[in-house]
Structures are given as C-alpha cells and as structure tokens.
Amino acid sequence: MYGSDGAGDNAERTAFRKAEKKYKLYYEEHSKSSKKKKQPQQVDLSEVLDPKSISESYNQKGELPPGIVAVNCGFNRPVFRLEDRPGFYFIPGALTVEEQCQWIRASLRKFPQPPNRTNHNAIYGPIRNLFVAAQEGKVLVEEEGSDNCSDSESSASVSNGDAHRWKFYEEDIARSRAKSCKSVSASVLLRKLRWSTLGLQFDWSKRNYDVSLPCNKIPDALCQLAKRMAEPAMPIGEEFRPEAAIVNYFGLGDTLGGHLDDMEADWSKPIVSMSLGCKAIFLLGGKSRQDEPLAMFLRSGDVVLMAGEARECFHGVPRVFTDEENAEVTPLESQFLHIDDHCYLEYIRTSRININIRQVF
Ligand code: OGA
Ligand code: MN
C-alpha cells in the first residue's frame, strides 16, 4: 500500500499512474547559462475538482455541479458525496482554524512521541521530544557501541526512551563528539518525519496491525472529533470506534503513491481523513489502477470519508503545494501569530499533515 506506487512492468501504463505523473511536481530543465532558481513546471489544474468552490456555490445559490450530491445528515456544514463513487464523502472546511491549529500542534509535539512509532524508529529507535529538540537546535548523536564514542559527558543529553544508542546534545557538545560519532540535527529529522502511528500500531513491513506492540489509546479529543466526522458515512444506528490513526507528514516534493487501505476488518466503517496545512491534490481512483481517477483539491480543514465501496478504491496524493501562492495557509498564519507558535507556523507554511483515523476490528 504505502510507497507502492504501482511498481512493475505495467506501472507506467495505468490510468492512475498517468494521473500521478500529470500532477506530480517536476522542475523545468534550466539552461546552463541561467542562474535563476529552478522553476516548477506548470500543471493544468482545470480538471481538478474544487470542494471549496462547490461548497461556496452551494451555500450561495444552492447550485451543485453534475455528479455531486449534498448529503442530508444534520451535520453543521454541508457534506457532499459523488454520485458514481458510493461511500466517498467530502466535508470542505470541516475543521475551524482553531481546531486545525490544535491538531497541527498535536501532530508535531505529541503524536510522534513513544510508544507511538515513526519512520525514524527503524534507524534511531524511539525518539523523545523531537519537535522541542529541533526548536532548541539540538543534535542527535550515536552513543557508545564504538570506542570512539565512549565519552561519558552526557549532562546535556535528553533522555531518548529505550534507544540508549542515540541521544540529543546541545549543538556545541555534539560538534565535538560528532568527529568520532554519527550525528544528525533534530531539525533535519523533523523535516524527514514522514509518518507516525497512534493507537494500534501499523507495521509497514507486515502491512498489518501489530497488536503485540505497546500503544496508547487514541487521544480522547481526537476520538470525539473522528466520531463526529464519521457520522455521515456510518451505517444507521452504529457508532464509529477509532482504534488506530496514521499521521502523514508531507514536505516539498513528497507524495503518497496510489494504494488501498484494506487491513481493517469492517469496510462498512469509514476512514476519517483530515487535511492540515498546505493544499494538496488527492486522487480517487476505482477498484483497478486502470480506472481513470478523479482529482480533487484538499485544503487545511477539509475532511474526507471513505467507506463501503470507496474502501476498495485506489487513492493517493501526487502533489502538495508548498509555495506561498498555492499553499493557502493564510488563515493559519493569522492564528499562529504568537511568538511561541512561530515554530509551528514555520513548519506548516511548507508542509501538509494528514491524520487518518480507522476502526480496525
Ligand atoms: C492514507 C491516505 C490521504 C491523504 O494515509 O492512507 O490515503 O490525504 N492519506 O494524505
Ligand atoms: Mn489511504
């Protein structure tokens, strides 16, 4: 599923792959004489569905484009579905700007904390307080193991969970140790954070949930939010039970290849997927990669639900707009004005976060 963007002989030929290539970030070939910054290639966005304009024209004139239906569900905002994609719902601007900021903060400070795992676990073991360490300019340094690294001076180190091999140090101490030990700055690690898993831990190598791994429950506030958001897609009389969540972090040029999320037992329950930060293009394909996917924008605060038949549909994110003009993060900028929030603003200006919440059993 993740990262599997259709590798194989036919990969280039499927309709899904073609759409991914159409929207992906490529740079213009620049002539040798030109000293200009490399420019992103222009992309034709005329066929990308725009939930924001759909919602605005529905609110102002009661009008909807063909194939789009407003769902009657007593939700406090309009919820839409696609006539020919049963089980797929989108809620433009579902989260207030305050809620968006709350979940951006949590995604950076809390969610990557052990026992939740991240993509960094495989190399560094559990890392505690990565976001704070990045703010403080700390450096993660490999401890012991090698004779060169047996210096016992560790007063400036930050506890690094169970992985005693790597510890955070102040930059100047790290510099002196870095001559003999491997090191990497916390800010580089933060930029390279690609995912964290909450609740039941997803094991990417086995492509399944590993119930033997230690985990915390999904935080209560996130549970409540997911339950509220899931409602339009839930079977009547049933309540959504959030058991796992995957948080995806996207920076410049990052994509999420076409995949299915099929490791949960009951596909009648939706995946609740929240977008935060920079605007992205989401591709919703069919049950085969050969099916022509639909492209739509997802902005900060938008929520998408995938239930029923939509659970069997390939989907992915071929493009995130991290440039100022297209990112559409101005509302977040005015919310993150306080000096203490500057670190979040700096991150989210050029990043997208997606939190998708699942009922596993
Ligand atoms: C996923 C997923 C979509 C997104 O994590 O399974 O499909 O909008 N994410 O990032
Ligand atoms: Mn998915």
Side-chain angles (χ1 to χ4, degrees):
M1 92 182 199
Y2 287 76
S4 70
D5 50 4
D9 289 345
N10 288 320
E12 301 302 308
R13 287 186 221 131
T14 67
F16 199 95
R17 185 70 189 133
K18 273 190 202 138
E20 286 180 321
K21 288 181 92 165
K22 172 175 173 180
Y23 292 116
K24 198 179 156 185
L25 173 64
Y26 292 105
Y27 289 101
E28 301 286 359
E29 294 281 341
H30 49 136
S31 65
K32 280 179 193 148
S33 59
S34 161
K35 288 206 178 77
K36 273 195 293 187
K37 247 174 65 182
K38 51 182 185 175
Q39 293 292 328
Q41 255 174 35
Q42 290 291 323
V43 186
D44 175 9
L45 300 173
S46 59
E47 287 175 11
V48 184
L49 198 82
D50 188 349
K52 188 178 174 197
S53 69
I54 290 171
S55 159
E56 282 171 1
S57 92
Y58 180 72
N59 286 335
Q60 287 159 18
K61 298 175 271 182
E63 285 171 9
L64 283 171
I68 297 184
V69 183
V71 182
N72 246 332
C73 59
F75 205 74
N76 65 352
R77 306 196 58 86
V79 177
F80 303 99
R81 63 179 179 85
L82 301 170
E83 220 159 36
D84 59 354
R85 307 292 182 121
F88 182 82
Y89 301 81
F90 56 100
I91 318 175
L95 307 179
T96 64
V97 183
E98 289 80 7
E99 286 174 312
Q100 293 168 43
C101 291
Q102 173 189 353
W103 298 114
I104 290 167
R105 286 191 184 96
S107 298
L108 292 173
R109 274 189 93 120
K110 274 173 55 191
F111 295 164
Q113 296 280 49
N116 297 344
R117 291 172 322 133
T118 77
N119 55 301
H120 290 319
N121 272 65
I123 303 173
Y124 305 102
I127 300 177
R128 240 168 245 292
N129 303 324
L130 174 60
F131 190 73
V132 174
Q135 267 177 277
E136 293 172 346
K138 293 226 164 91
V139 178
L140 195 65
V141 180
E142 189 171 32
E143 295 267 299
E144 298 159 20
S146 90
D147 292 340
N148 298 335
C149 293
S150 53
D151 184 355
S152 64
E153 178 192 358
S154 61
S155 55
S157 74
V158 173
S159 165
N160 194 20
D162 308 324
H164 297 296
R165 270 164 40 94
W166 292 87
K167 271 184 178 167
F168 280 126
Y169 286 89
E170 304 289 348
E171 198 182 354
D172 50 345
I173 299 171
R175 212 178 297 130
S176 67
R177 298 173 66 100
K179 292 191 187 85
S180 48
C181 306
K182 285 188 198 155
S183 68
V184 55
S185 77
S187 60
V188 165
L189 287 176
L190 182 64
R191 275 286 152 207
K192 291 187 173 172
L193 182 65
R194 282 306 313 272
W195 55 261
S196 62
T197 43
L198 322 186
L200 287 177
Q201 296 289 296
F202 194 82
D203 182 326
W204 302 98
S205 59
K206 299 189 189 109
R207 282 190 74 247
N208 212 337
Y209 294 92
D210 186 341
V211 294
S212 70
L213 288 170
C215 68
N216 290 339
K217 282 220 167 75
I218 303 267
D220 210 42
L222 188 60
C223 248
Q224 297 311 320
L225 178 72
K227 282 184 181 181
R228 186 156 57 84
M229 295 292 158
E231 227 176 85
M234 282 298 287
I236 290 168
E238 292 189 50
E239 200 181 51
F240 184 60
R241 264 200 329 264
E243 289 162 332
I246 296 174
V247 186
N248 295 303
Y249 306 82
F250 299 81
L252 173 70
D254 289 339
T255 61
L256 179 62
H259 65 277
L260 296 174
D261 300 297
D262 51 5
M263 286 303 145
E264 295 77 21
D266 182 355
W267 293 356
S268 74
K269 304 298 184 305
I271 288 181
V272 178
S273 180
M274 319 188 328
S275 289
L276 302 165
C278 295
K279 186 173 74 181
I281 294 180
F282 178 81
L283 289 179
L284 177 67
K287 293 182 187 178
S288 153
R289 286 184 190 272
Q290 309 292 344
D291 299 333
E292 190 75 42
L294 172 96
M296 70 190 288
F297 289 121
L298 288 180
R299 293 178 178 80
S300 198
D302 291 350
V303 165
V304 155
L305 308 173
M306 283 180 280
E309 278 193 46
R311 291 294 303 259
E312 298 171 68
C313 293
F314 282 93
H315 59 276
V317 179
R319 181 69 176 262
V320 175
F321 297 93
T322 55
D323 60 298
E324 204 179 337
E325 196 182 332
N326 292 296
E328 298 192 35
V329 291
T330 332
L332 296 172
E333 289 179 346
S334 32
Q335 196 68 27
F336 278 140
L337 273 180
H338 196 276
I339 183 79
D340 292 345
D341 286 332
H342 195 82
C343 45
Y344 299 108
L345 183 55
E346 201 189 347
Y347 180 91
I348 208 66
R349 261 190 186 132
T350 57
S351 312
R352 170 178 189 261
I353 300 174
N354 166 255
I355 308 176
N356 57 88
I357 304 141
R358 300 133 187 260
Q359 177 168 334
V360 176
F361 299 113

